[in-house]
Amino acid sequence: MRVEIVDGVIPAAEIVEGLKAGSDGAVCVFDGIVRDNTRGRKTLHLDYEAYREMALEQMRALAAEAVAKFGVRDVALVHRLGRLTVGETSVLIAVASAHRGVAFEACRWLIDSLKRTVPIWKKEQFVDGAIWADGEPFPEGIGVVPPSGTAGQLADGEPSPEGIGVAGTKPDAVNKEHQ
């Protein structure tokens, strides 16, 4: 497994090539790139910050869980910190497996879980101001149902849709989502 947090350009082609093996029938890649707008607002750049030690620990755990849960052979999970401009890769996830179906499923689960649980924050700088992004809610049917008697909550404070919960929460000392 390759799990890293980097401060420079993510070498996507090198990572994907290094993941391939003779037993693989598929390598599924998610290359998260900085787009030029969000919800109609023109994006200048993004600034990523993290609680690095905790983020790496949680990313390693997610990679190991993906291998066990989906039966894939290997995973690469790399996130970049610092200032990124439009078109640059912020996160790269690659999953190698004998079969494409589980590779796709594991890749999707990894990006959704990473965005939801790992203490990495994104500040979006627009032409008309900046915000700490809340991230995108999980698609319907993905997530962990909270324990009975507790209500899940999205990062923006809205209640989670029925049947979708949060696997964990960030400690208040490192929660920057609403700054």
Side-chain angles (χ1 to χ4, degrees):
M1 276 185 271
R2 181 172 179 166
V3 178
E4 298 177 68
I5 292 178
V6 299
D7 297 307
V9 174
I10 296 174
E14 172 191 314
I15 291 169
V16 172
E17 198 56 39
L19 196 66
K20 294 178 182 178
S23 61
D24 296 329
V27 173
C28 184
V29 178
F30 174 81
D31 187 347
I33 58 174
V34 178
R35 63 180 171 265
D36 65 1
N37 72 88
T38 298
R39 298 180 186 103
R41 296 175 77 184
K42 183 171 174 46
T43 302
L44 297 176
H45 59 265
L46 303 179
D47 292 305
Y48 283 93
E49 294 184 13
Y51 182 163
R52 194 179 290 254
E53 297 80 16
M54 183 184 285
L56 274 170
E57 181 180 321
Q58 290 181 358
M59 288 167 63
R60 286 185 196 105
L62 287 174
E65 186 175 348
V67 169
K69 179 176 184 159
F70 296 95
V72 298
R73 185 189 58 78
D74 203 1
V75 169
L77 185 55
V78 182
H79 206 298
R80 183 173 169 190
L81 300 182
R83 178 156 294 171
L84 283 76
T85 59
V86 172
E88 291 188 290
T89 295
S90 60
V91 61
L92 184 84
I93 298 173
V95 178
S97 177
H99 303 286
R100 70 180 178 271
V102 292
F104 276 113
E105 291 172 15
C107 196
R108 174 66 184 260
W109 179 85
L110 278 164
I111 188 58
D112 289 342
S113 297
L114 181 144
K115 289 177 82 65
R116 194 71 171 157
T117 64
V118 177
I120 297 175
W121 304 281
K122 173 175 69 173
K123 186 175 187 179
E124 297 180 90
Q125 181 66 53
F126 303 107
V127 294
D128 61 345
I131 62 165
W132 285 99
D134 289 333
E136 301 170 29
F138 272 17
E140 193 68 35
I142 296 178
V144 178
V145 178
S148 173
T150 62
Q153 190 174 23
L154 297 176
D156 63 1
E158 292 293 317
S160 294
E162 187 68 30
I164 298 177
V166 180
T169 57
K170 297 180 188 105
D172 288 338
V174 296
N175 188 345
K176 295 184 179 182
E177 291 175 332
H178 295 290
Q179 286 186 346

